[in-house]
Amino acid sequence: MPGHLGDERVTVQNLQVMQVREAEKIILVSGAVPGANGSYVIVRPAIKHPERLVAAHEAHRKHDEEEAAKKPAITVR
């Protein structure tokens, strides 16, 4: 009788995101990605230390502020 071999959630660490192709909606990952062909994969950062997490959020906030400053302000009349 058929079973459920491989029917569990698996986490693989230390994979590298090589490229992000926004036009094709593809993320290229280097390493052994778990799951069957055509299945969904969740990609998230693997920050294991809280102080690094705080630093990462601060860096993202600064980057977002810089990007917002580059865009021209839109005024509504």
Side-chain angles (χ1 to χ4, degrees), residues 2-3 11 15 18 26 29 33-34 36-37 40 44 54-55 59 61 63 68 70-72 76:
T11 300
L15 298 178
M18 302 305 288
I26 294 175
V29 179
V33 178
N37 291 340
Y40 290 102
R44 58 183 170 203
V54 171
R61 186 186 61 77
H63 176 71
K70 289 180 184 176
K71 294 181 181 177
V76 179

Side-chain angles (χ1 to χ4, degrees), residues 8-74:
E8 67 261 358
R9 184 173 291 194
V10 177
T11 300
V12 178
Q13 295 183 356
N14 300 324
L15 298 178
Q16 292 184 346
V17 175
M18 302 305 288
Q19 244 183 32
V20 177
R21 297 181 184 173
E22 292 183 24
E24 300 171 19
K25 296 184 180 180
I26 294 175
I27 299 175
L28 299 177
V29 179
S30 174
V33 178
N37 291 340
S39 62
Y40 290 102
V41 176
I42 298 172
V43 178
R44 58 183 170 203
I47 300 174
K48 297 170 182 69
H49 301 285
E51 61 274 2
R52 291 184 190 167
L53 181 64
V54 171
H57 283 302
E58 188 68 23
H60 285 288
R61 186 186 61 77
K62 286 180 183 177
H63 176 71
D64 290 343
E65 288 176 355
E66 290 171 0
E67 290 296 318
K70 289 180 184 176
K71 294 181 181 177
I74 299 174

